[in-house]
Amino acid sequence: MNDDPTHRLYLDALEEALAETAAGDAPPQAPLRPLTLTAARARRRPAASVSGWTAPFAGRIAAMDALLGEAGEDDWGRETVEGWTLQELLAHLAAKDGLVALSAGAPVLGPPVIADEALARTAELQEYERRRVPEQTRRDWRAQADALCRHLAPLPPETPMTVSGFTMPVADHLLARMLETWIHTADAAGAAGVRLPDPVPGHIEPTADLCVRLMPLTMLMRGHAVAEGRAVRLVLTGHGGGSWHVPLHPGGRAVREGGPAGAAATGRDTRGGGPADATVTCDVIEFCFLVGGRGEPARFAAGVEGDAGLARDLLHAAPALSGP
């Protein structure tokens, strides 16, 4: 039986999702594969203690690994996104995890890194993995990700780190890896006809916080010249959501209103924000996926009060940092 605490955390979340559906607390959805249900019930234990700022990423790695544990030969060869098979998608995740590991001095599996650039490393690693059986790809992807978590855990989360020329706190780099792993796990699950539970709220909240804090940068990248003093209030509904005041000028710092555990843990300012030109209200998970390149900004479901043009610009700019 698997004693990995992050794996048990995933199974706990799966069982909780099933219990909510059975109790009528969640809308009915497509059924999960029987094997997934059996695994969750067979391995149900008291809630595992997974702590520390690496836990959101570790939780998504465990979720993806649980999904891969059910993959048959047809699943590994099935197209997911970008024209990639499941094995190629996993190689893409391993490539980008490996670039974080390279910057952190953690182990990097596979061929030596020639260029510290995501698409180049993805192509290189996909070519390498096509010559191996899928279980070898899965094994090395998981081993590299677990080693990265162990290597980073002792570091202060605000430690600056540069990955592919982009510098930000190491905790934010790992939250970015959490978001991409979450999205690609959903891609793989959708291709296989499997429904997975959402991350636990304590993992959604810091990820949503990162997505919100990226908004001034995404606006800049989309060419929106926003004068100092212009701001929006983002209200993200659902478990792990909250309200943020977001100054949109370059260098503006988003502030979570109310002071969540995730923001306090990294020492960020959690005081209330100021006035806003627009208030945008939407679902927290849908917003995270929009930032991650899933969803159509023009059709994105959001309530808007105030300056509708500014709100529209923000939602269209949200995916600016997303990639394959």
Side-chain angles (χ1 to χ4, degrees), residues 90-297:
L90 197 59
H92 169 65
L93 288 174
K96 296 190 72 174
D97 292 346
L99 294 181
V100 177
L102 179 70
S103 296
V108 180
L109 299 184
V113 177
I114 296 174
D116 183 7
E117 195 279 322
L119 291 181
R121 179 59 177 171
T122 290
E124 181 180 66
L125 204 56
Q126 286 176 337
E127 178 62 27
Y128 171 77
E129 295 298 348
R130 288 186 195 107
R131 300 193 292 268
R132 307 208 303 162
V133 299
E135 277 301 324
Q136 291 175 313
T137 305
R138 175 191 175 193
R139 179 198 64 205
D140 283 1
W141 158 79
R142 178 69 194 256
Q144 178 180 255
D146 287 347
L148 179 60
C149 287
R150 289 192 299 270
H151 184 88
L152 294 180
L155 295 179
E158 66 276 9
T159 303
M161 191 171 77
T162 301
V163 179
S164 300
F166 195 70
T167 302
M168 60 184 180
V170 63
D172 287 349
H173 279 295
L174 209 61
L175 286 172
R177 298 308 311 129
M178 182 280 190
L179 177 62
E180 184 165 8
T181 305
W182 180 13
I183 287 171
H184 282 321
T185 301
D187 291 335
V194 176
R195 180 177 62 82
L196 296 178
D198 297 323
V200 295
H203 293 179
I204 295 174
E205 186 277 322
T207 308
D209 183 67
L210 172 66
C211 290
V212 172
R213 289 186 287 111
L214 290 173
M215 290 303 97
L217 178 58
T218 63
M219 290 286 280
L220 181 64
M221 291 181 67
R222 283 289 191 254
H224 297 295
V226 180
E228 188 165 353
R230 299 276 280 169
V232 300
R233 177 163 286 103
L234 263 173
V235 180
L236 304 183
T237 61
H239 296 302
S243 177
W244 285 260
H245 180 264
V246 191
L248 292 176
H249 60 273
R253 294 186 63 211
V255 175
R256 168 100 189 225
E257 299 175 321
T266 57
R268 293 194 297 275
D269 186 354
T270 59
R271 295 171 294 178
D277 299 283
T279 297
V280 179
T281 302
C282 56
D283 179 81
V284 62
I285 293 174
E286 291 177 3
F287 181 74
C288 288
F289 271 58
L290 179 68
V291 173
R294 298 296 181 270
E296 176 53 54

